[in-house]
Amino acid sequence: MGEDGRTDAALWLEATSGTEASFGVVYDRYRARVFRRAFAQVQNVSDAEDIVAVVFLEAWRRRKDVRFVDGSLLPWLLVVTTNVTLNSQRAARRHKRLLAAIPAAEHAVDPGHEIEERLDGQLLNGRLQAALHRLNPAERRVVELCFIEELPLADAAAALDVPLGSVKSRLSRARRKLQAELGDAVWPGERQADDAPAPLPRAADGLEVTG
């Protein structure tokens, strides 16, 4: 429930019934959180802003399918954010492969080469960021929801519309993979309570935006 006292469900009902201002309230309520999640994945302000726009466009397109978790639309929006980001990154990789397949003109100087390398460095911001990108999409979604956004496992399961056991097993597999790549010095090995996953270690600071 926001400062105006209206729940997300009430606002969404108003929005889908023709009250455009209510959709604007939902947008204002969660735009910053969606932006933070997008920026954590792409490390680029312009790209993150584009993802925010697509997320809310997708939310409206799928307005009859949205899910509320304990009355909040945020967990579902975070899932959509991850999906949109993965799709945009796949499209960027296809575009990059296409450009690489085009023969360069003889003696041509590529002025975008340095910029492209810098953007690649941003996408692979540190060992942890790279390791997260190597998880499969299902594992990456639960890691982002449970460890980065610190949602309880039950809320993550509701947002993803999967059984709680599936979230636990995906999280366990992801944790083993990350430990294997990063070691316990970067990924703490202490056991956590079943429904209270610890946040990512401080080595993950590059994944988040504060403020």
Side-chain angles (χ1 to χ4, degrees):
M1 185 178 294
E3 295 179 358
D4 62 1
R6 287 182 290 177
T7 65
D8 288 357
L11 285 168
W12 202 251
L13 179 61
E14 292 175 6
T16 55
S17 299
T19 306
E20 294 180 4
S22 296
F23 185 83
V25 174
V26 174
Y27 176 86
D28 291 340
R29 186 174 290 181
Y30 294 124
R31 186 204 67 81
R33 288 293 301 275
V34 170
F35 175 85
R36 286 176 57 193
R37 177 90 310 274
F39 184 88
Q41 294 173 312
V42 301
Q43 297 291 303
N44 179 282
V45 171
S46 179
D47 290 346
E49 289 175 343
D50 289 344
I51 289 170
V52 170
V54 174
V55 166
F56 282 96
L57 181 64
E58 184 70 2
W60 182 251
R61 188 182 71 82
R62 299 172 54 192
R63 55 190 175 276
K64 295 181 180 178
D65 302 322
V66 302
R67 289 189 298 276
F68 299 94
V69 179
D70 289 337
S72 175
L73 187 59
L74 179 61
W76 185 82
L77 287 173
L78 294 175
V79 172
V80 175
T81 302
T82 295
N83 292 340
V84 169
T85 303
L86 289 171
N87 288 338
S88 68
Q89 289 173 336
R90 280 193 290 267
R93 287 194 294 271
R94 286 195 298 269
H95 180 67
K96 187 175 180 179
R97 286 195 297 268
L98 177 62
L99 291 179
I102 300 174
E106 189 174 0
H107 306 305
V109 176
D110 180 7
H113 183 66
E114 182 180 348
I115 296 174
E116 183 176 304
E117 286 187 342
R118 195 177 307 135
L119 288 174
D120 286 345
Q122 290 175 331
L123 288 174
L124 299 176
N125 183 26
R127 292 172 60 204
L128 182 56
Q129 181 73 23
L132 286 173
H133 278 284
R134 284 191 284 272
L135 296 176
N136 68 48
E139 293 165 349
R140 183 172 165 183
R141 289 184 186 98
V142 297
V143 167
E144 288 171 348
L145 289 175
C146 296
F147 283 99
I148 298 176
E149 296 297 335
E150 300 183 47
L151 291 182
L153 301 187
D155 287 0
L160 293 166
D161 195 25
V162 299
L164 178 59
S166 296
V167 170
K168 290 182 178 179
S169 62
R170 292 174 190 177
L171 203 57
S172 178
R173 287 196 302 271
R175 186 184 181 91
R176 286 197 299 271
K177 290 179 181 179
L178 292 172
Q179 282 181 316
E181 286 202 43
L182 304 174
D184 287 343
V186 180
W187 185 271
E190 59 268 18
R191 187 178 182 276
Q192 303 296 333
D194 284 344
D195 202 41
L200 285 172
R202 300 307 298 173
D205 284 351
L207 296 174
E208 297 183 315
V209 181
T210 58

